[in-house]
């Protein structure tokens, strides 16, 4: 469980509040510079907020975006360091993961591929047997195969342990079919935080002639000479001239990111002009 209330850090985060229940795999999505890293660093205690509170339950492990490891250490020495710095170290898990991905224990960290380095960093975190795993852009600078392998191994660990995960990314496609909770951060503010299935069920895309007036709570949209399209949250518009379709995760995220002032919390009240 992660609970953030009224969090402000310099000009990077402004009055952020969110709640992620225990055991959820949460996607923290936002453009570059949105404050994702600042939020994660505050959650794990690397930054002290100017205002607000952060509460987490149980042991928390963190993997930073640049996956900081000692290049001169061998893989075996890196795992030994992890064991000495952890009170909940699982040596069997650490050995099994390096063997599964064919990472030689005698190889120096600096000679590993990007995917292997990411797996060693993830192994250090998972072998601590955390209750909550926090990952800052873990797929950055990885090739497609390595990205797939990292996410596959992460989801396997989640299924085996039931731990909660918060994973940041600005690439929504990396998170589809893996995350069940969504947090959208934009301009240092939380726009959306909630169960992904529920959020998708509450939103729909409305498309109709340009002369129609949309009497509903619209997140954002576009208008041309021939038609207009709006992402709407709440009850569908009754006028049959509007065409309605369901939305996917990327549709939802992009609509909020394109409308920095739009907020999904609190829930908008039914109708507005």
């Amino acid at each position: 469980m992660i609970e953030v209330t009224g969090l402000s850090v310099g000009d990077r985060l402004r009055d952020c509040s969110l709640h992620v229940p225990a055991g959820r795999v949460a996607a923290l999505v936002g453009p570059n510079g949105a404050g994702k890293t600042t939020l994660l660093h505050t959650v794990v205690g690397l930054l002290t907020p100017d205002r607000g509170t952060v509460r987490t339950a149980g042991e928390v492990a963190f993997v930073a975006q640049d996956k900081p490891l000692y290049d001169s250490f061998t893989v075996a020495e890196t795992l030994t360091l992890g064991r000495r710095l952890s009170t909940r170290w699982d040596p069997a898990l650490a050995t099994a993961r390096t063997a599964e991905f064919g990472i030689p224990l005698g190889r120096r960290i600096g000679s590993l591929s990007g995917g292997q380095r990411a797996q060693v960093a993830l192994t250090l975190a998972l072998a601590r047997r955390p209750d909550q795993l926090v990952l800052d852009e873990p797929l950055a600078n990885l090739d497609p195969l390595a990205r797939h392998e990292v996410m596959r191994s992460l989801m396997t660990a989640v299924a085996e342990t039931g731990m909660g995960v918060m994973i940041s990314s600005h690439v929504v496609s990396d998170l589809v079919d893996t995350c069940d909770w969504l947090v959208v951060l934009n301009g240092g503010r939380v726009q959306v935080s909630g169960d992904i299935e529920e959020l998708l069920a509450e939103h729909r895309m409305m498309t109709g002639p340009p002369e129609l007036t949309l009497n509903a709570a619209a997140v954002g949209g576009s208008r041309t000479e021939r038609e207009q399209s709006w992402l709407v949250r709440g009850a569908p518009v009754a006028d049959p001239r509007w065409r309605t379709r369901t939305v996917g995760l990327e549709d939802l995220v992009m609509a909020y990111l394109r409308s920095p002032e739009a907020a999904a919390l609190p829930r908008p009240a039914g109708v507005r002009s």
Side-chain angles (χ1 to χ4, degrees):
M1 183 274 295
I2 295 176
E3 187 171 48
V4 174
T5 305
L7 191 68
S8 294
V9 180
D11 59 356
R12 292 167 287 176
L13 293 178
R14 297 175 290 165
D15 195 28
C16 288
S17 296
L18 62 96
H19 174 82
V20 180
R24 307 304 291 264
V25 181
L28 175 62
V29 181
N32 290 331
K36 300 188 300 296
T37 295
T38 299
L39 176 59
L40 296 184
H41 281 192
T42 308
V43 166
V44 300
L46 295 176
L47 286 176
T48 300
D50 298 322
R51 293 184 303 279
T53 59
V54 176
R55 190 162 66 94
T56 58
E59 181 82 6
V60 179
F62 176 58
V63 178
Q65 180 176 347
D66 55 355
K67 305 167 188 66
L69 302 171
Y70 292 104
D71 286 346
S72 62
F73 279 29
T74 65
V75 174
E77 290 168 340
T78 301
L79 298 182
T80 298
L81 177 63
R83 174 176 58 81
R84 291 180 177 177
L85 293 176
S86 175
T87 59
R88 299 171 63 170
W89 186 257
D90 186 337
L93 184 149
T95 300
R97 279 187 56 83
T98 52
E100 176 185 358
F101 297 105
I103 304 174
L105 295 177
R107 183 79 59 83
R108 296 199 181 277
I109 295 296
S111 68
L112 297 179
S113 67
Q116 289 175 322
R117 187 184 184 101
Q119 291 292 6
V120 171
L122 188 56
T123 296
L124 284 177
L126 293 175
R128 292 179 57 187
R129 289 296 186 185
D131 302 291
Q132 182 75 38
L133 180 62
V134 177
L135 305 171
D136 188 7
E137 298 278 4
L139 306 181
N141 304 319
L142 299 183
D143 62 58
L145 180 59
R147 296 166 82 92
H148 173 78
E149 286 299 310
V150 168
M151 288 303 294
R152 181 189 65 81
S153 66
L154 175 61
M155 290 303 102
T156 298
V158 169
E160 291 175 348
T161 65
M163 67 179 174
V165 179
M166 177 172 276
I167 176 172
S168 76
S169 179
H170 61 274
V171 182
V172 180
S173 58
D174 287 336
L175 309 173
V176 175
D177 299 327
T178 58
C179 298
D180 56 17
W181 195 271
L182 175 67
V183 179
V184 177
L185 189 67
N186 198 3
R189 295 181 181 274
V190 174
Q191 287 184 286
V192 181
S193 181
D195 179 276
I196 288 178
E197 288 190 3
E198 293 180 1
L199 288 172
L200 293 179
E202 292 170 359
H203 291 78
R204 56 198 45 80
M205 191 67 71
M206 309 290 299
T207 303
E211 68 272 11
L212 289 182
T213 298
L214 181 66
N215 294 317
V219 174
S222 62
R223 183 191 299 268
T224 68
E225 292 182 357
R226 294 188 175 185
E227 68 177 18
Q228 55 180 317
S229 295
W230 300 93
L231 181 71
V232 172
R233 189 180 192 191
V237 177
D239 191 328
R241 291 175 295 176
W242 287 101
R243 303 188 305 277
T244 304
R245 69 171 176 85
T246 58
V247 297
L249 183 60
E250 191 149 7
D251 293 324
L252 181 70
V253 170
M254 293 307 298
Y256 277 98
L257 293 184
R258 289 187 179 116
S259 304
E261 299 306 316
L265 295 176
R267 185 186 302 264
V271 176
R272 72 182 184 195
S273 59

